[in-house]
Amino acid sequence: MTEIDACRSALRELAIGRLAGRDVRTSHLVEAGLDAIVAGLDAPSLALLAGLESSAGDAVDKAFGQVVDELGLELPADPTAARWQLVHGWLLAMVKGDLSPSAGGALVSEVGELLGSPAALRGIARWSAMLDSWIPTDLTPRDVCEVPILEEAAELLEGPWPPRPRHP
C-alpha cells in the first residue's frame, strides 16, 4: 500500500467512524488532512482542512465533508451499516494479530452499544469488560479473557455478515 493509499484509507476510516456515530475529534480530521497533503494526495479542499484550527469544529466538519466528496470515498449506506463495517474490520484485525484482543474488544463493545448491544457481540463485550477491570496483581492470566475474545471474533467472521440474531 502506498502512502497516498494509506492516507485515503485513513480519511475513509475517519468518515466511516463519524457516520457510525463515534466521537471523531476535529484534531484527527485536521491531522489526516495534513498527512494527506504531505503524502501528495490531491483534493481542492485538503489544503483548507489542513489549514484549519482543530477548535473550528463546524468549519472542520464542512471541509472534511468536502474532502470525502472530492476524493469519492465510498461510505456505507447508513450508520448501522457503518457500525457493522467497523466491527468487521476490528474482528478481522484481532484474528490476524494486528489488534490486541483488549483494544479490539473495547472498540467492538463501544460500537456494539451503538448497535443496541446485539446478542452476537455480547460475549466479546462481556470478556472485554472483564479485561477492562483487570487487576495487574491478579494471578489469573489475561489469556483467560483474551482467548475467548479471539475465538468469538473468528466464529463471527465465519458466519453471515452482519451476524443474524442468535435464537435460544
Side-chain angles (χ1 to χ4, degrees):
M1 176 180 285
T2 69
E3 194 173 350
I4 288 178
D5 291 337
C7 287
R8 284 181 64 87
S9 179
L11 289 164
R12 183 173 179 271
E13 191 172 316
L14 289 168
I16 292 170
R18 287 169 41 102
L19 176 60
R22 295 192 73 222
D23 181 25
V24 178
R25 295 188 174 144
T26 55
S27 61
H28 293 154
L29 302 177
V30 172
E31 183 179 326
L34 283 167
D35 291 345
I37 287 174
V38 169
L41 191 59
D42 187 32
S45 297
L46 263 176
L48 173 63
L49 175 63
L52 289 169
E53 294 289 328
S54 60
S55 60
D58 290 340
V60 171
D61 288 342
K62 183 177 179 187
F64 184 74
Q66 290 172 318
V67 168
V68 169
D69 289 343
E70 290 166 4
L71 293 175
L73 299 178
E74 288 187 37
L75 300 179
D78 57 47
T80 299
R83 292 169 185 152
W84 281 115
Q85 186 170 336
L86 289 172
V87 168
H88 188 272
W90 294 326
L91 294 175
L92 191 59
M94 282 191 290
V95 169
K96 290 168 79 179
D98 296 335
L99 182 63
S100 74
S102 177
L107 291 167
V108 168
S109 296
E110 173 200 333
V111 173
E113 287 181 23
L114 295 173
L115 285 164
S117 299
L121 302 179
R122 287 187 195 143
I124 290 175
R126 187 181 76 245
W127 290 111
S128 180
M130 290 173 70
L131 271 175
D132 193 39
S133 62
W134 202 264
I135 300 169
T137 58
D138 196 335
L139 296 176
T140 308
R142 291 177 61 88
D143 286 1
V144 167
C145 296
E146 291 175 341
V147 168
I149 289 173
L150 291 174
E151 289 172 348
E152 291 207 25
E155 183 181 323
L156 284 168
L157 290 170
E158 290 174 4
W161 199 259
R164 294 189 186 108
R166 295 179 180 171
H167 299 287

